[in-house]
Amino acid sequence: MKIYNTMTRKKEEFIPVEPGKVKMYDCGPTVYNYFHIGNARNLLVFDVIRRYFEFQDFQVTYVQNITDIDDKIIAQSIAEGISTEDVTAKYISAFLEDMDKLDIKKPDFQPLATQYIEKMIAFIQSLEDMGAAYESAGDVYFAVEKFENYGKLSGRKLKDLKVGARIEENEQKNSPFDFTLWKNAKPGEPAWQSPWGKGRPGWHTECVVMSRDLLGDTFDIHGGGNDLVFPHHENEIAQGESIAGHPYVNYWLHNGFLNIEGEKMSKSAGNFFLARDILQKYSAEAIRYFFLSKHYRSPIDFNEEIIIQSQAAVKNLYHSLKDIDYLNFSELPQYSALQMELRQQFINVMDDDFNTARALAIVFEAAKEVRNKNLVISERMAYARLMVELGEVLGFFRNLKEKLTDVDNFSAKTASLVEMLISYRQEFKKDKNWQWADRIRNDLAAIKIKLKDTPQGTEWEIEDE
RNA sequence: GGCGACAUCGCCAAGUGGUAAGGCAAAGGUCUGCAAAAUCUUCAUCCCCGGUUCGAAUCCGGGUGUCGCCUCCA
């Protein structure tokens, strides 16, 4: 298996620290707001990577932190007029809810920053003891120039940074690029007691401390959005490797950014989409298809038309399963050489830096064979099994039974009412009373219930929107 | 100023030297009272110019255009 490593800017053969095990860490959200569609990409990408490792029989330990103490949270608590605890409680539960709606599997660990204060203090203390950090007026900073490889992940050199970057005015720092490990609390701010007085940890420290605690001081994969490469991940490396004296992470994975109709998404530009708002209108699987149809490292452009296309594409998959009556298989058919070959192709493309776009194409090829009436039924059923197996690796087909039986959103009573109307329409049709037959069909269509006359009788379904 | 990415059918998108995956949409056939759905069929030579090669969307050089990071940010 080859994965692209931001550190070396090359695809590299994946060799885990411990054979058969994968230890991965993804930088999770800061819970000061509902998460947006750009966050969703990171979450979905790492969900699929995790699922694929599990499919390949790796024993995966997946850690994703939740930052629940931060300047933005304090700002939000003032804006909403509630305590910081209430802010984080509110957005953590919203986060978990939205994750579930997106069919994202729960990480094995979701540590909160506030659960790690003691360990962060001890860690910062060690950095200070070894001379990598210094205190200045109640704040503690990491001395960037003490870490000789600073910039190795992002390909930046301190001297280049000095040329163009806007330099933060802060006379307490020895060097403008030194970053905060511990921040002195202002009156009224949440604070913890520490050797440097009351304060809170800086953002860059929690990921190092948590990952070392849960995954060890060298682990396999660390991920996040592209924008975290510098400075956040760079700063993690500086801390982790200063302490450990050996590599912190073996493979760095970064997903590309999401644009909105070609523009960067930002609140001020008004082109800002929350995941939960999009989920109101479109299915989790449409969103998933949209993201997976593009390679995770490339930038992706979001607009409504694309999601509509994605929704239609996913429907295609379900039609195949309905067509073959997947739910009524008495037992799962064995794969023949044909299915095994397609399955192997799937593995090959996923082994090539998680090429989900090609993987998706393979699922669609299987779906096409499911509907291929020239094949014997056992062969078609085997393709259906394959399609579901591979689709699940990509995170599709959760609650398959409900989706295939349409019981999801409709009460049994609604269903029987529709059936009743259909039977009346049958009577009209028998009498060739097209006017009333069409009126029933049109009126149902107006409330998004679509009728289809097939040789087996009239079928109906609720249209997605 | 420094670093980096990208440009493939109407739309989305894969493809890192061997003759263009897949999805959406569209057109035509079958089916239907008419529809819808389903199904079958059809649908690109890869931004421009030059070079390397038996052979290039794929490599090199030069253009043009788009975007990202360097500051909180997934």
Side-chain angles (χ1 to χ4, degrees), chain A residues 28 50 111 218 282 328 400 408 455:
Chain A
R50 180 256 190 101
T218 296
Y282 303 101
N328 289 322
L400 192 53
D408 229 353

Side-chain angles (χ1 to χ4, degrees), chain A residues 26-29 34-46 64 95 99 102 104 224-228 254-260 263-266 271-278 287 290-291 296 298-302 307:
Chain A
D26 179 47
C27 286
Y34 301 111
F35 74 85
H36 58 68
I37 186 73
N39 298 301
R41 184 181 200 190
N42 171 260
L43 269 11
L44 240 13
V45 161
F46 282 89
Q64 184 183 59
F95 171 67
M99 287 275 276
L102 282 168
I104 292 170
N226 211 221
D227 58 323
L228 296 186
H254 297 280
N255 60 276
F257 249 50
L258 174 135
N259 293 321
I260 306 289
E263 299 293 319
K264 183 171 172 170
M265 175 166 66
S266 75
N271 60 354
F272 191 82
F273 292 89
L274 296 175
R276 56 171 46 201
D277 292 339
I278 292 170
I287 294 169
F290 161 67
F291 283 120
Y296 75 91
S298 307
I300 193 168
D301 195 63
F302 177 85
I307 289 288

